[in-house]
Amino acid sequence: GSMFTPKHQKLVNQCYPTGRTTDKKPKSSETSYLLYYVNSRRSKLEKVSTYLIKRSTSDLNHRRIGNIAVTLDLMNKIVLHCKENLNVFVKDFLYIMNKVLSNNNFNNDVSVVELIELAFSSICQNLDDVLCNGDMEFVQLYQNFVDLFFKIVTERIHNDDMLLKCCIDISNTNSVSSNPQLNHFVSKSVAYTISKFQERNPKFKTLSLEAALESNLGKRLSRTQTRTIGLDKAAEDNHDLSVKALQSYFNTTETDKLNLSIRTLLRCLQSTPNKELLEFVCNGIPVQLRYIVILLLVRQLSDKDKNVNPIVSLKLMSSLLVSDVSIVGLSVLDIMRKLLNFQLKNATNKEVVAQSCITMTDLNHKTYYAEQTSDMLYELLLKLKSDTVKDVEKNAVVEDIDFLVEHITQPSISLELFIDLAHYMKNHIICLFNIVETEVPSSILFSKLYSLLRELDSHGVQKEMMEEIFDKYGKMALLSGLNYFLENVSEPEYTYYSYHLQAANFLKLNDYKSQTEYKMQTRTLFTKEDLLSYYSDTGSNKYSKKGAQILLSRDNQ
């Protein structure tokens, strides 16, 4: 009968060693010739793949494990040598692999399953977009294969490494993330990978979600010692397949895949909240795409899923914002508005209000642009000025401003913004004034500042504020105050005397100071002539010329 056997069948059959042993491998020289044959005559590829279906069916029926092993090995070699024409035979190969996996005589054999995975890996690395997205038969075969493979490695042979290899293969499949019928495998693979990674590294599974700000402040001094190694570094020289699988899904610029992967990670973190795992994985994401994690955490806040706890989402966001993970391209104001809207919708929930407040402050932990802090405070001011905001919501916004200001270390707002905010923040006015920039403001703003001081109820706060104003603005505080109080005060009041006491201290004129104390006791005001006596001697008062001009000017401008 061999006289009439087609050449492609002869060449395939010659690759199989004789005997019934289970650990057969294809004959070397015969296999090389077969590969040369299909490469030089590409029209024969389809005939070879069709014949391999026929041959493997017979071997499966007769339980020839050794022959099936040879077939799978041959298939892998053909994929690697004929990848340009993979579309011609890939469906036949997936059909064979599905048949082998479905057969109870073979699917418990680890060596056979390993050969199947090897062939699948080669297929995944060489597929093109057109096949993945356009051929429904291929999509169905691919789907059946993955479902079957996952089931066998998790339920029958319990082989974690084989499971992780399949997850990596799916990640390597071109356009699988953009295919609506296959992209659920991305989520499934990431979930498997995270689970196995946590089993191998239990510290990433424990509950770890303490208040980010408090923990971070304590760590600042020892940041170099506490920096956790991230996925970007862990993958170097690491043979753990769970790390390699994580890297294949997160160290990518393919945004469809990255989005699906991050969403799965965040779902896993809802059930086992662990900020170290979040930071570890985020370090493996390309730096220009890490902002997506923050965006998806914000999106979770409006998620109707009962399994999503918004407090966990907020705390995870906080931990990432104050961590050492570098994030660029973050739209701070956009994120803040969403956080603020979520907070005010839940203004009666104290836990949500408090955590939203912390997270907004953590958002300002890193400066992304010069006016960031000022813009954030202005955004909060707009809410306070709004007629539609209820009292309970305004109280929450005041808490936000207070907490944000408390954690600002550099002067970063204008005097004008301070004055607008101070009307709502009179109990925290000193702290707020400390973050005002030292740039010299206009005389109109100085007038507004002194008018604000006169509205304050506490003499102690008025006195402290006056000292702060002189410390920050020096001679401008002196001269603008001289003009302001001369024009605007006609009755004795504490702010008036507070200004003159501070002016006397600033000028180091004891006579001026004692006269102020006397007038304060007798509740009388300075006349222009009284004040001119302190601005007449350039030796004792270097601002006497300017001061005298103000005092002698008709309109006092």
Side-chain angles (χ1 to χ4, degrees):
S2 64
M3 280 177 62
F4 303 103
T5 304
K7 186 175 182 181
H8 69 273
Q9 291 187 18
K10 284 183 186 176
L11 292 178
V12 169
N13 291 338
Q14 285 167 5
C15 294
Y16 290 76
T18 54
R20 291 187 63 86
T21 58
T22 56
D23 57 346
K24 285 185 182 181
K25 290 185 183 296
K27 292 180 184 177
S28 178
S29 57
E30 286 81 353
T31 301
S32 296
Y33 187 73
L34 174 66
L35 294 172
Y36 166 75
Y37 174 77
V38 291
N39 251 330
S40 59
R41 301 188 181 201
R42 297 175 190 275
S43 59
K44 300 296 183 183
L45 263 173
E46 193 170 359
K47 290 184 177 180
V48 167
S49 66
T50 304
Y51 178 64
L52 283 172
I53 289 178
K54 183 180 176 183
R55 167 120 203 181
S56 60
T57 303
S58 171
D59 288 333
L60 285 169
N61 291 338
H62 293 90
R63 300 185 183 181
R64 300 185 190 116
I65 290 184
N67 283 0
I68 290 296
V70 172
T71 301
L72 292 168
D73 205 339
L74 279 176
M75 284 162 53
N76 184 47
K77 287 179 167 62
I78 291 169
V79 171
L80 293 173
H81 282 79
C82 306
K83 50 194 170 192
E84 296 84 3
N85 291 294
L86 185 61
N87 294 9
V88 172
F89 58 86
V90 68
K91 287 187 280 189
D92 286 347
F93 282 15
L94 278 174
Y95 175 83
I96 293 167
M97 289 151 70
N98 279 337
K99 278 289 181 189
V100 177
L101 281 180
S102 312
N103 191 301
N104 291 337
N105 296 315
F106 293 85
N107 60 24
N108 286 325
D109 190 305
V110 175
S111 62
V112 169
V113 177
E114 281 177 347
L115 287 166
I116 289 172
E117 186 282 320
L118 207 59
F120 183 62
S121 175
S122 299
I123 289 169
C124 290
Q125 289 178 59
N126 294 291
L127 277 172
D128 64 30
D129 302 10
V130 179
L131 192 66
C132 221
N133 289 320
D135 191 317
M136 290 308 298
E137 187 187 354
F138 167 80
V139 169
Q140 193 60 55
L141 283 163
Y142 185 98
Q143 196 164 354
N144 292 347
F145 174 83
V146 175
D147 284 335
L148 202 49
F149 193 92
F150 275 156
K151 186 174 182 182
I152 286 161
V153 294
T154 55
E155 295 178 16
R156 292 206 178 174
I157 61 175
H158 305 287
N159 189 316
D160 289 348
D161 274 3
M162 202 70 67
L163 171 68
L164 291 164
K165 281 180 181 178
C166 185
C167 292
I168 293 170
D169 297 339
I170 292 165
S171 178
N172 289 334
T173 307
N174 207 355
S175 294
V176 72
S177 308
S178 57
N179 187 309
Q181 283 142 312
L182 296 178
N183 61 14
H184 66 281
F185 287 130
V186 173
S187 303
K188 195 169 186 177
S189 299
V190 173
Y192 275 139
T193 300
I194 290 170
S195 174
K196 296 306 167 191
F197 176 74
Q198 287 177 318
E199 282 176 22
R200 295 173 182 191
N201 303 273
K203 70 173 182 176
F204 291 111
K205 198 171 186 176
T206 56
L207 184 66
S208 168
L209 209 55
E210 74 268 20
L213 259 176
E214 293 163 24
S215 67
N216 187 66
L217 292 173
K219 285 180 185 175
R220 277 184 189 164
L221 295 174
S222 56
R223 179 169 285 185
T224 50
Q225 292 94 332
T226 56
R227 171 98 160 73
T228 309
I229 191 166
L231 180 58
D232 51 340
K233 296 283 187 281
E236 295 170 11
D237 304 320
N238 195 317
H239 302 294
D240 183 350
L241 282 172
S242 67
V243 174
K244 290 185 184 301
L246 279 176
Q247 193 181 42
S248 75
Y249 281 98
F250 290 96
N251 186 21
T252 177
T253 54
E254 192 185 329
T255 50
D256 284 339
K257 180 161 78 172
L258 190 57
N259 260 293
L260 289 166
S261 303
I262 294 170
R263 285 174 190 273
T264 307
L265 170 68
L266 298 182
R267 276 198 299 275
C268 294
L269 286 167
Q270 281 288 327
S271 54
T272 55
N274 182 292
K275 66 188 183 70
E276 282 80 17
L277 177 60
L278 179 64
E279 290 169 30
F280 175 85
V281 173
C282 283
N283 266 318
I285 297 171
V287 68
Q288 73 274 19
L289 295 174
R290 291 175 190 169
Y291 72 92
I292 295 172
V293 181
I294 301 293
L295 293 184
L296 292 177
L297 279 166
V298 171
R299 202 167 291 171
Q300 271 192 337
L301 300 177
S302 54
D303 200 327
K304 302 295 184 227
D305 186 348
K306 290 178 182 176
N307 295 320
V308 172
N309 181 344
I311 299 296
V312 170
S313 302
L314 288 166
K315 286 187 174 184
L316 287 170
M317 204 184 314
S318 277
S319 68
L320 193 56
L321 289 166
V322 301
S323 71
D324 292 316
V325 179
S326 177
I327 302 172
V328 297
L330 206 58
S331 179
V332 174
L333 274 190
D334 186 47
I335 291 163
M336 185 196 168
R337 285 178 192 129
K338 287 173 180 170
L339 288 172
L340 186 57
N341 288 337
F342 172 74
Q343 182 193 44
L344 298 187
K345 276 181 189 171
N346 298 274
T348 54
N349 184 325
K350 288 183 179 179
E351 192 181 9
V352 168
V353 169
Q355 188 56 53
S356 298
C357 178
I358 291 170
T359 304
M360 274 186 269
T361 300
D362 290 337
L363 184 60
N364 196 41
H365 179 74
K366 294 186 181 86
T367 304
Y368 294 92
Y369 65 100
E371 302 297 318
Q372 177 178 305
T373 301
S374 180
D375 286 352
M376 289 178 76
L377 286 167
Y378 186 71
E379 202 66 36
L380 293 165
L381 175 64
L382 289 178
K383 285 290 181 189
L384 288 176
K385 286 183 171 181
S386 170
D387 295 331
T388 58
V389 177
K390 300 171 188 171
D391 286 344
V392 67
E393 295 170 345
K394 283 188 177 178
N395 291 339
V397 175
V398 168
E399 281 181 40
D400 294 340
I401 296 170
D402 186 32
F403 198 70
L404 183 58
V405 168
E406 192 184 327
H407 290 86
I408 296 168
T409 54
Q410 298 293 326
S412 47
I413 66 171
S414 65
L415 182 62
E416 186 174 13
L417 180 56
F418 163 79
I419 291 166
D420 284 342
L421 285 167
H423 287 294
Y424 302 94
M425 305 291 298
K426 288 178 180 175
N427 294 334
H428 312 278
I429 196 166
I430 304 295
C431 197
L432 190 62
F433 189 71
N434 286 335
I435 64 164
V436 174
E437 292 165 333
T438 53
E439 185 180 329
V440 177
S442 66
S443 57
I444 293 170
L445 279 177
F446 267 119
S447 295
K448 287 183 178 179
L449 178 61
Y450 286 125
S451 296
L452 172 71
L453 253 63
R454 294 170 69 194
E455 294 172 15
L456 299 175
D457 298 329
S458 165
H459 287 179
V461 175
Q462 284 179 325
K463 180 176 181 290
E464 193 176 347
M465 265 300 293
M466 194 66 78
E467 289 171 0
E468 295 286 344
I469 290 167
F470 270 84
D471 281 348
K472 195 177 288 282
Y473 298 116
K475 72 170 184 178
M476 292 302 296
L478 173 77
L479 298 172
S480 60
L482 183 64
N483 179 59
Y484 175 84
F485 287 102
L486 198 65
E487 281 292 295
N488 295 285
V489 177
S490 56
E491 297 290 332
E493 60 178 78
Y494 185 81
T495 321
Y496 175 85
Y497 298 113
S498 179
Y499 162 75
H500 284 292
L501 281 171
Q502 199 57 44
N505 287 334
F506 181 75
L507 294 170
K508 297 178 182 171
L509 296 175
N510 291 329
D511 183 39
Y512 185 9
K513 185 178 180 183
S514 57
Q515 272 299 309
T516 304
E517 288 169 347
Y518 171 74
K519 287 188 178 294
M520 193 173 176
Q521 286 174 354
T522 58
R523 296 189 60 75
T524 55
L525 302 180
F526 284 101
T527 64
K528 280 192 180 184
E529 289 70 25
D530 291 337
L531 293 170
L532 272 168
S533 65
Y534 305 121
Y535 288 89
S536 56
D537 182 359
T538 53
S540 61
N541 180 354
K542 62 180 177 178
Y543 308 110
S544 58
K545 188 178 177 183
K546 287 276 187 185
Q549 280 179 346
I550 290 168
L551 291 166
L552 293 170
S553 167
R554 285 184 183 177
D555 57 7
N556 286 318
Q557 293 304 310

